[in-house]
Amino acid sequence: AVARAVRGRDARQVWQKAVHSEEMNPGKRRGGFDEGEKRAVERLYARFWDEPYCWKRIAEHLPTRTAQDIRLQWEAVLNPALRKGPWLPDELARLAAAHAAAPGRWSDIARAVGARS
């Protein structure tokens, strides 16, 4: 409904502005997480991981970050299940097989390969 009132913008663009702009979120930090924030996210995730809307609950304890910022940081950097080292031969084989089965469908390919960064 709000997007219809903002001429020339679709709903996604309006949502992005609302979530990420300094005007709409005064006091929210942008950029990388410092070590204290990383440790806080790890500690709070261990406490709230099994609750619905856990990212929102964690964000309530980190007032300078949005729930989306926290979720993305966890998924790309902090999750201990992520493999970040060199690719193993079996991972490369899964990647090649998944790409052959669904070329260009990167969400499906990522699920087939597993937690990897």
Side-chain angles (χ1 to χ4, degrees):
V2 174
R4 281 186 237 127
V6 181
R7 200 183 338 225
R9 302 290 181 187
D10 63 25
R12 184 188 58 77
Q13 291 169 322
V14 172
W15 179 82
Q16 287 284 4
K17 182 68 171 176
V19 169
H20 294 293
S21 72
E22 179 64 29
E23 303 88 37
M24 300 295 287
N25 290 297
K28 298 291 183 187
R29 289 189 57 209
R30 301 300 307 147
F33 281 51
D34 63 32
E35 287 304 312
E37 289 174 316
K38 289 178 184 179
R39 299 300 77 80
V41 170
E42 290 168 342
R43 179 178 45 79
L44 291 164
Y45 183 81
R47 180 174 165 193
F48 296 122
W49 71 270
D50 61 344
E51 293 185 20
Y53 308 107
C54 78
W55 304 118
K56 185 177 177 182
R57 292 289 309 271
I58 294 170
E60 291 169 359
H61 295 272
L62 290 172
T64 59
R65 298 294 183 166
T66 65
Q68 182 181 14
D69 291 337
I70 294 165
R71 180 184 59 82
L72 293 173
Q73 181 73 10
W74 179 265
E75 290 176 353
V77 178
L78 298 176
N79 185 348
L82 282 177
R83 283 195 32 82
K84 298 178 185 177
W87 285 70
L88 300 174
D90 68 308
E91 291 175 316
L92 291 171
R94 285 197 315 267
L95 174 62
H99 185 266
R105 295 181 59 191
W106 292 106
S107 298
D108 297 336
I109 293 167
R111 274 191 291 281
V113 172
R116 197 68 168 100
S117 181

